[in-house]
């Protein structure tokens, strides 16, 4: 395993390009199973989550080629309907295989995903959706055994969950419904840009999907889909992470290959907190500079277009050295505050209670060895380390490799002093 050594106190400057969206790429790669014709998907980020998905597709029998950010997938007749636990266990998002496998083969065997450090993320809505289309679901030996011998049939399904709409649940239902008989209506659908990107990809394949990006999506089933070419949208969370980095420790950054609409809630918050945010006329670039008199702020995470849960940890790092008292409430994953204890090791003043963090800004942070607990917590620790006095070691770097493409290289290009090294402390223990 690797760790990242970050020497704090160096101001970032320059420009960088944002990679394709990890969260959009995963269901789009899975959707390639819906046709036996080849599909070409561009700007797929080279991160461990997409690599795991590609491995799963290959294990199922698909032919997958990857070159310079473009992935070509061809799924001939006879691909397997059973996914391996050894592959699926590495990534919870593998649940998005459910929809395309059921649509294409009318049956599948998928291992149940395990627990998650940021909180419970059950698959009950995914199961509810596929059952509504006529599938039978059994659980045996840790696997979901799902079949629809008479095929899937369109219907109306409400995807409302306890903490708002489910993105992957909406994705799964869309992918299952494109080849179902009749019309499927998804009520309380997720509105995230990644859902819209998947719908655009499916429509290029010949699907008939209307309303993506709204609370009601209508899918008219078709008999078959064909191959296509598609470019994945920019990663709005990576863009947001660098926007926060610019406000935290820079002389100003120009962040390119973005979509203004997708990062608007992040930009609005930074402006409210006194920082400078200016978009290009076409909304594909943004320049961010630290404010001369930064202000404390308040976040309540919400489904899109609200403030994303995937960006609360990064803002917590910024708030930790912002004068005043800031409040972060996560309504999506109330347990998602493990980064706070690590930030406190660096001198942050944070109190967490019942899904809310209260941050009292301090004058400065100091370097300390810290441990990443999940993908976005890792990003928060990197941001804090860039601003801290001294040299910070961030352990369990594999978390950040799940969703940030070449983060250390991008930081180096902006003037940061960072180094990835082998973490001997994280090697498996062979004691008897």
């Amino acid at each position: 395993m690797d760790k990242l050594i970050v020497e704090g106190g160096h101001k970032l400057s320059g420009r960088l390009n944002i990679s394709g969206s990890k969260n959009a790429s995963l269901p789009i790669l899975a959707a390639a199973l819906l046709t036996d014709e080849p599909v070409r998907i561009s700007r797929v980020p080279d991160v461990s989550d997409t690599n795991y998905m590609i491995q799963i597709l290959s294990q199922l029998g698909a032919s997958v080629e990857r070159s310079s950010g473009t992935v070509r997938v061809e799924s001939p007749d006879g691909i397997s309907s059973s996914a391996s636990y050894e592959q699926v266990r590495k990534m919870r998002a593998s649940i998005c295989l459910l929809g395309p496998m059921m649509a294409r083969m009318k049956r599948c065997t998928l291992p149940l995903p395990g627990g998650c450090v940021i909180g419970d993320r059950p698959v009950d809505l995914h199961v509810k959706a596929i059952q509504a289309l006529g599938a039978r679901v059994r659980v045996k030996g840790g696997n979901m055994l799902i079949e629809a011998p008479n095929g899937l049939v369109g219907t109306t399904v409400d995807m409302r969950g306890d903490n708002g709409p489910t993105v992957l649940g909406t994705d799964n239902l869309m992918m299952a419904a494109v080849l179902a008989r009749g019309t499927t209506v998804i009520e309380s659908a997720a509105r995230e840009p990644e859902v819209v990107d998947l719908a655009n990809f499916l429509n290029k394949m010949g699907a008939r999907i209307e309303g993506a990006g709204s609370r009601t999506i209508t899918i008219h089933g078709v008999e078959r889909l064909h191959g296509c070419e598609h470019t994945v949208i920019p990663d709005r969370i990576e863009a947001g992470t660098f926007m926060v980095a610019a406000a935290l420790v820079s002389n100003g950054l120009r962040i390119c290959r973005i979509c203004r609409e997708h990062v608007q809630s992040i930009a609005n918050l930074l402006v409210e907190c006194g920082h400078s945010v200016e978009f290009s006329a076409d909304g594909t670039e943004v320049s961010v500079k630290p404010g001369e008199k930064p202000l404390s702020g308040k976040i309540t995470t919400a489904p899109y277009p609200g403030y994303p849960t995937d960006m609360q940890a990064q803002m917590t790092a910024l708030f930790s050295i912002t004068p005043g008292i800031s409040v972060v409430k996560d309504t999506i994953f109330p347990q998602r505050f493990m980064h706070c204890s690590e930030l406190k090791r660096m001198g942050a003043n944070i109190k967490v209670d019942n899904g809310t963090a209260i941050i009292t800004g301090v004058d400065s942070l100091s370097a300390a060895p810290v441990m990443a607990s999940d993908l976005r917590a890792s990003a928060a620790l990197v941001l804090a380390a860039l601003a801290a006095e001294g040299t910070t070691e961030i352990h369990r770097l594999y978390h950040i490799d799940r969703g940030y493409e070449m983060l250390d290289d991008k930081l180096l290009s902006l003037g940061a002093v960072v180094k990835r090294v082998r973490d001997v402390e994280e090697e498996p223990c062979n004691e008897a």
Side-chain angles (χ1 to χ4, degrees):
M1 299 181 186
D2 292 344
K3 64 180 176 182
L4 192 68
I5 299 177
V6 182
E7 184 179 302
H10 298 273
K11 295 291 187 180
L12 307 181
S13 62
R15 58 185 291 149
L16 77 154
N17 290 328
I18 295 302
S19 300
S21 168
K22 184 266 289 188
N23 288 339
S25 295
L26 295 175
I28 287 173
L29 286 168
L33 295 175
L34 287 163
T35 179
D36 60 1
E37 298 181 14
V39 299
R40 290 175 57 88
I41 309 164
S42 300
R43 282 197 198 154
V44 176
D46 186 6
V47 295
S48 59
D49 272 12
T50 59
N51 291 332
Y52 290 144
M53 180 60 76
I54 286 172
Q55 291 171 23
I56 294 171
L57 296 179
S58 297
Q59 180 253 329
L60 292 173
S63 172
V64 187
E65 300 174 1
R66 183 172 198 158
S67 176
S68 301
T70 297
V71 178
R72 181 186 183 276
V73 184
E74 187 169 0
S75 308
D77 290 337
I79 59 173
S80 174
S81 61
S82 180
S84 163
Y85 172 72
E86 284 305 310
Q87 292 296 343
V88 170
R89 70 180 178 84
K90 299 176 182 178
M91 182 181 61
R92 287 189 57 86
S94 57
I95 188 65
C96 66
L97 291 162
L98 170 61
M101 291 175 75
M102 286 302 299
R104 174 96 179 258
M105 293 170 281
K106 309 300 185 289
R107 68 183 187 279
C108 71
T109 300
L110 279 178
L112 280 165
C116 178
V117 71
I118 67 172
D120 188 25
R121 295 197 276 182
V123 297
D124 57 323
L125 288 176
H126 301 257
V127 172
K128 167 189 168 183
I130 203 68
Q131 286 176 324
L133 297 184
R136 297 196 298 261
V137 181
R138 294 182 296 130
V139 176
K140 183 178 181 181
N143 293 321
M144 291 187 294
L145 310 178
I146 310 170
E147 59 181 357
N150 297 320
L152 301 176
V153 180
T155 188
T156 298
V157 185
D158 192 317
M159 292 299 288
R160 184 183 294 109
D162 291 340
N163 296 314
T166 163
V167 174
L168 281 181
T170 300
D171 289 342
N172 252 334
L173 185 49
M174 272 201 306
M175 290 186 284
V178 290
L179 296 179
R181 298 193 304 275
T183 298
T184 299
V185 178
I186 307 177
E187 301 285 3
S188 302
R191 299 172 57 190
E192 273 70 6
E194 295 80 11
V195 173
V196 177
D197 202 31
L198 173 62
N200 290 338
F201 173 70
L202 293 170
N203 283 337
K204 287 179 182 179
M205 296 175 73
R208 296 174 58 201
I209 301 173
E210 303 162 357
S214 73
R215 283 286 179 251
T216 302
I217 301 176
T218 302
I219 306 104
H220 304 284
V222 299
E223 290 189 2
R224 68 183 304 272
L225 298 178
H226 53 72
C228 72
E229 296 188 2
H230 182 76
T231 299
V232 174
I233 59 173
D235 194 308
R236 62 191 173 105
I237 305 303
E238 184 194 15
T241 299
F242 277 102
M243 290 169 70
V244 173
L248 181 68
V249 56
S250 84
N251 294 316
L253 292 182
R254 189 160 187 84
I255 303 164
C256 308
R257 201 185 288 166
I258 66 160
C259 177
R260 174 175 182 161
E261 180 183 357
H262 297 174
V263 298
Q264 192 64 62
S265 64
I266 303 165
N268 291 345
L269 179 63
L270 289 173
V271 171
E272 290 173 9
C273 293
H275 304 287
S276 171
V277 180
E278 294 183 2
F279 288 93
S280 62
D282 63 359
T284 62
E285 298 184 5
V286 63
S287 295
V288 181
K289 295 181 180 179
E292 294 183 5
K293 295 182 179 180
L295 305 171
S296 59
K298 183 177 182 179
I299 298 172
T300 299
T301 65
Y304 187 85
Y307 192 85
T309 178
D310 279 355
M311 279 299 304
Q312 62 95 336
Q314 298 90 313
M315 279 301 300
T316 299
L318 176 59
F319 286 153
S320 67
I321 56 171
T322 299
I325 298 176
S326 300
V327 179
V328 177
K329 181 177 179 61
D330 199 322
T331 65
I332 310 299
F333 295 116
Q335 302 175 50
R336 198 177 198 175
F337 288 99
M338 294 186 70
H339 53 281
C340 291
S341 59
E342 298 300 292
L343 289 173
K344 289 167 71 172
R345 287 175 51 79
M346 301 177 72
N349 184 348
I350 305 173
K351 295 181 180 179
V352 179
D353 182 43
N354 197 27
T356 301
I358 300 174
I359 306 108
T360 302
V362 297
D363 292 337
S364 63
L365 299 176
S366 58
V370 291
M371 184 178 299
S373 57
D374 66 72
L375 172 56
R376 307 309 172 185
S378 305
L381 296 179
V382 172
L383 296 182
L386 291 170
E389 298 174 354
T391 300
T392 298
E393 291 188 0
I394 303 171
H395 299 264
R396 296 187 178 178
L397 198 59
Y398 61 86
H399 284 293
I400 211 162
D401 291 338
R402 286 186 46 233
Y404 288 91
E405 184 176 46
M406 299 185 299
L407 179 67
D408 36 339
D409 289 340
K410 289 180 178 179
L411 288 172
L412 284 168
S413 73
L414 299 174
V417 178
V418 301
K419 181 170 63 174
R420 178 188 291 256
V421 298
R422 193 70 178 170
D423 191 352
V424 294
E425 295 182 11
E426 288 293 316
E427 293 297 328
C429 178
N430 293 319
E431 293 179 359

